[in-house]
Amino acid sequence: MDLPANEVRRIWWMAGLRLAAWLLAAALFGLVFDHVTLALLIALAIYTSGHLIFAYQLHRWLAQPRVEPREGVGVWQDIYTELYRLKQRNRRRKKRLKSIVGEFQASTAALPDGAVVIDGRGRIVWFNNAAAALLALRAGQDNGQRIVNLVRHPRFAEFLASADQVGAPLEVPSPANDTDTLSLRIVPYGNSQRLLVARDISEQKRLESTRRDFVANASHELRTPLTVLRGYLEMMTEESDDAGALAAWRTPIREMDVQSARMGRIIESLLRLARLESEGLAQAQETIDMPALIQRLVADFRKSDEGRHQIDVDVQPGLSLFGRPAEIESVVSNLVANALRYTPTGGHVVVRWRGGHGAAQLAVSDDGPGIATEHLPRLTERFYRIDSGRSSSDGGTGLGLAIVKHSLEHHEAELHIDSELGHGSTFRCVFPHQRLVGANAA
Ligand code: ADP
């Protein structure tokens, strides 16, 4: 416990009084022998020497803490006691810190995720056991090495340089085993230091791939029986239209026909999504004449829309896109189909394709009912529909925007949705400049 201030004051008062008494005694002694000044000088010399001896002892003890401090006198005793107490307290604190650091290291070593501390110059400062196993780091030898020399993935250096703030993780094959996949995250902290967290997501990847294969296989298997059913239903619809034996079944047969057509569209969309996920990036790319593609698709839509909406096109002539034609076509078709589906008759739809500011934008706007803000972040989820009854009855599958998002990801493009209830919607696809070809492409 700390010494209270008044106690310190009292000790120093006592020391002062003791000095005064000592000097008074020396003066009296000097008076007796008629040498007051000499007596005072000798008394001061003795007093100072005493303090020098204690100061020397203190210095020696501070320099060699293992030597036990000698007993002091007066104020020196208190100084010794206080210093001794301070030292003991520091020793206890050091011990506690050591045990906390020990516990921290033991717990981080036991973490299933790899953790690597990297300094401002990209050198490894510390890593745990999991990091050693996942990233093939060698304890002792790799400390102080540049992490980019050890994790040799083409995108890793760029990822490390750009990760000034916590961003999306990077998925890379494990340097320890190519068949495993790691998810890497960078967490900046302190003075330009970074923590690299590596997680083994191989199992998750395998499950995702199994799920994808399952959906693709199930959709594929359902396709043939559904085609047979649809064939018979078509025949039965014709039969029921004539006043034949099935006339009484006309309404249910029509409904079955409509629902089976819807099932067919869902299966086709699921298969398209599965293809996008599995082989999307392998598809051939070419320069796509966007103005021509948009004009062609809009002409088809105008025909099928039969004048219910006004559809306008505003495209920048000569601005082409380098990409996968089937995917880009599905982006345009899905967005225009949605705009027509959700905008009431008499509404206005505009398809724009323009470049500028180092990017190009495909925008499909409508003056339909708009979308409430809370739905916007979820629209691209599979089967997410705001009004499922409305979507289904109008031929929607709930998969259109999921297909759009996937196709855009394959072109490093982003989907932005600007919409407000009652004020229509605009779906904007922003393509990076390296994808653009032709007029004012930059
Ligand atoms: P769907 O096949 O149901 O249209 P999508 O994935 O294409 O599925 O769209 C998801 C949902 O987003 C739709 O069900 C609809 O509620 C909403 N939506 C999409 N486009 C528009 C639009 N232009 N205006 C209003 N709502 C829209």
Side-chain angles (χ1 to χ4, degrees), residues 367-383:
D367 56 2
I371 303 161
T373 321
E374 72 261 24
H375 295 297
L376 294 180
R378 300 197 56 192
L379 285 189
T380 54
E381 283 174 22
R382 283 155 208 223
F383 297 114

Side-chain angles (χ1 to χ4, degrees), residues 334-335 338-343 364 366 368-371 378-388 391-392 395-404 419 424-427:
N334 274 307
L335 293 180
N338 275 353
L340 294 173
R341 185 178 302 140
Y342 298 107
T343 303
V364 179
D366 64 60
I371 303 161
R378 300 197 56 192
L379 285 189
T380 54
E381 283 174 22
R382 283 155 208 223
F383 297 114
Y384 186 84
R385 281 169 285 196
I386 299 168
D387 177 349
S388 62
S391 159
S392 310
T397 60
L399 293 166
L401 291 178
I403 292 174
V404 168
S419 189
S425 314
T426 297
F427 287 73

